[in-house]
Amino acid sequence: GDFTIRGIDLAASYAFDLGPGRLSTNMVGTYQLEREFAPVPGGGASTVYDCVGVVSPECQDYEWRHIANARYSVGRYTFGLRWRYYGELDYQSPYTGDPLVADKLVCSKSAGVTGAATCLGEGKLPAYNYFDLSSSIQLGDYTTWTIGVNNVADKEPPLVGAGLALNGNAPGGYDQAGRYFFTSFNFKF
């Protein structure tokens, strides 16, 4: 078989003084142009499929995904905001681009194909945004204490049925646990 991935990775950082502190920002993103699979060598065009922007039993690949951070530091205190973005995924055949109807929670009644009458979804998984907050304090020269909360809005992952149960009742990659708090100590030696 054969596997081809083409895309553009973007990374950017910028920092500047703001008021009594310093604001640091960065973003890392990936734009996929192609994620093509040819599982059968020489099998022809009918066996080749592209997964970019598609969710199906064979695929779950975002066209655009990024993580952006903003951190503001004043003295020994730092406050952070992180934005995680997952692009929209169309529920369609990666082979033909036709709408799928096997997963009744995701497929769309307007798909215009046999079996679509019992569909309950919109034919896609919407884009997802998660926001995380954190705060750190420098405790002396060698110790930092951090506390934070991930998925501040307690956004649940998209619900899917048996046709797409890639990870229980939701596709992988999304926050399965919802909002969660964390703390950590960092010691330098």
Side-chain angles (χ1 to χ4, degrees):
D2 192 22
F3 181 58
T4 304
I5 299 175
R6 288 185 323 111
I8 300 168
D9 292 329
L10 173 70
S13 299
Y14 189 71
F16 56 94
D17 293 331
L18 181 65
R22 185 158 180 83
L23 181 64
S24 302
T25 61
N26 72 358
M27 188 192 82
V28 176
T30 297
Y31 183 77
Q32 287 195 89
L33 300 168
E34 176 183 32
R35 190 174 184 94
E36 190 174 87
F37 298 88
V40 179
S46 65
T47 63
V48 177
Y49 60 95
D50 190 349
C51 286
V52 174
V54 173
V55 64
S56 70
E58 299 88 2
C59 302
Q60 181 189 336
D61 293 294
Y62 310 98
E63 184 175 28
W64 174 254
R65 178 178 177 179
H66 74 255
I67 297 175
N69 293 289
R71 298 188 65 75
Y72 186 69
S73 299
V74 178
R76 54 192 199 121
Y77 301 97
T78 301
F79 306 94
L81 170 66
R82 180 173 65 172
W83 171 27
R84 296 176 286 144
Y85 175 83
Y86 303 86
E88 178 179 279
L89 296 171
D90 292 322
Y91 183 49
Q92 66 186 35
S93 168
Y95 298 99
T96 64
D98 295 334
L100 296 176
V101 295
D103 192 310
K104 300 303 179 192
L105 295 177
V106 181
C107 67
S108 172
K109 284 185 183 183
S110 62
V113 294
T114 305
T118 58
C119 292
L120 303 171
E122 298 179 13
K124 62 185 172 184
L125 297 180
Y128 261 63
N129 295 285
Y130 291 111
F131 294 96
D132 309 322
L133 295 172
S134 65
S135 180
S136 299
I137 183 171
Q138 185 83 30
L139 302 171
D141 294 336
Y142 304 105
T143 306
T144 304
W145 178 34
T146 302
I147 60 171
V149 57
N150 287 346
N151 191 359
V152 172
D154 197 20
K155 189 167 189 171
E156 294 184 12
L159 185 63
V160 297
L164 283 177
L166 306 172
N167 186 19
N169 66 341
Y174 298 91
D175 277 359
Q176 303 295 322
R179 179 187 309 126
Y180 60 95
F181 298 88
F182 66 91
T183 187
S184 67
F185 284 93
N186 185 351
F187 301 98
K188 293 181 186 177
F189 295 96

